[in-house]
Amino acid sequence: MPEGDSVHRAAARLHAALAGSPLTVFDLRVPRFATADLTGRTTLDVTPRGKHLLARIEGGLTLHSHLRMDGAWHVFAPGRPWHGGPVHEIRAVLATAHATAVGYRLPVLELLRTRDEDRVVGHLGPDLLGPDWDPARAAANLLADPGRPLGEALLDQRNLAGIGNIYKAELCFLAQVTPWTPVGALPDPPTTLPRLASAAQRLLAANIGDSDRSGRRNTTGSRRPGRELFVYGRARRPCLRCGTPVREAPQDDRPTYWCPRCQTGPTPNDPAA
């Protein structure tokens, strides 16, 4: 599933392609909105909110999309062939005189009144990359359920918006606890959780830029291939810090990685987990 930094980049690409110019094509290929036609109207801005994309269009309308696991927006110059999947996977085409944005496999795509955006994003916690970011509020949200495993709490977008499975694993490593550790069992939670939330924001912000053209995130600071992440995707490979083989197990149906030496706390094989 795309994480907050990749959604932020997608919003920036869409904003650059669409904002400020009248739409020459507006084609939503989903039954509920297939007859909607906003050609001639101007896209005002494209804003990310957590993992959601909000394209605000003249006349008080917002096109809301969510990429989930497989969705993607691609931007093409006029006359360039489209790529991103077969034609039957295209769910949206928005074009101006300068660019065409094509949405593939979008599982969430809806047109709503801009004044009703809270209906789809109002439940989200503070956005790690948004103007509402507040580490103290994010920490308080996490601590509201002290018995919940940290990994699950970090992925809950109601607590803080933007963390996905990669950052979940990396943040638990940086906190030196397993993802199954209850939030309330962290050392000094009122101090640790704001620091962890701030670390999450720094990691996402650092990965917004062009360093990610390759699609690889970097949480370690190393530029050596294969050493960009501490534990995510490194099952059975040596921990970059201590050399112990990294372990993998599912958590909430997602592959989860941790170092059994660097990280303390319950694991799936531990009855306390």
Side-chain angles (χ1 to χ4, degrees):
M1 180 179 290
E3 316 227 358
D5 52 359
S6 56
V7 175
H8 190 98
R9 286 192 298 275
R13 290 194 300 270
L14 290 172
H15 183 88
L18 301 174
S21 298
L23 290 164
T24 57
V25 176
F26 186 87
D27 180 11
L28 303 185
R29 301 181 184 181
V30 294
R32 184 180 174 189
F33 301 105
T35 60
D37 184 5
L38 302 185
T39 55
R41 301 197 193 193
T42 298
T43 301
L44 305 177
D45 66 79
V46 182
T47 298
R49 182 71 175 87
K51 299 181 183 181
H52 300 253
L53 287 163
L54 303 170
R56 296 172 181 135
I57 301 171
E58 185 181 21
L61 294 172
T62 294
L63 182 64
H64 166 232
S65 60
H66 194 299
L67 307 181
R68 290 192 179 165
M69 292 296 294
D70 300 316
W73 281 98
H74 295 278
V75 175
F76 305 99
R80 296 294 301 272
W82 300 351
H83 56 84
V87 172
H88 72 265
E89 292 183 347
I90 294 174
R91 297 291 176 266
V93 181
L94 279 67
T96 68
H98 314 290
T100 299
V102 183
Y104 289 87
R105 301 172 299 280
L106 299 174
V108 176
L109 185 69
E110 60 179 332
L111 194 62
L112 63 150
R113 295 287 179 185
T114 300
R115 64 172 180 262
D116 295 331
E117 285 179 359
D118 273 358
R119 178 173 62 80
V120 294
V121 296
H123 66 288
L124 298 175
D127 188 335
L128 285 149
L129 297 175
D132 67 324
W133 173 241
D134 182 346
R137 182 180 157 213
N141 291 345
L142 291 167
L143 194 55
D145 187 355
R148 192 174 191 186
L150 178 61
E152 292 182 13
L154 288 171
L155 284 180
D156 190 335
Q157 303 299 295
R158 296 170 296 182
N159 290 331
L160 63 173
I163 291 178
N165 207 38
I166 296 174
Y167 287 115
K168 175 196 84 170
E170 297 296 287
L171 287 165
C172 288
F173 178 84
L174 293 173
Q176 300 180 30
V177 297
T178 68
W180 293 270
T181 302
V183 171
L186 292 171
D188 189 14
T191 300
T192 300
L193 288 170
R195 290 177 178 172
L196 187 62
S198 295
Q201 193 277 335
R202 288 194 299 272
L203 287 180
L204 265 71
N207 281 282
I208 288 175
D210 290 343
S211 62
D212 236 31
R213 287 178 176 175
S214 64
R216 292 189 297 270
R217 290 178 176 84
N218 192 307
T219 60
T220 65
S222 173
R223 297 302 171 186
R224 293 175 59 185
R227 299 177 69 89
E228 297 92 346
L229 301 173
F230 284 111
V231 290
Y232 185 86
R234 294 185 59 83
R236 297 176 296 279
R237 297 169 63 191
C239 169
L240 295 183
R241 182 173 290 169
C242 74
T244 302
V246 171
R247 307 237 350 238
E248 175 189 357
Q251 183 182 41
D252 198 22
D253 296 325
R254 294 181 175 93
T256 298
Y257 304 87
W258 77 101
C259 171
R261 183 173 181 181
C262 293
Q263 295 171 255
T264 61
T267 66
N269 296 325
D270 184 337

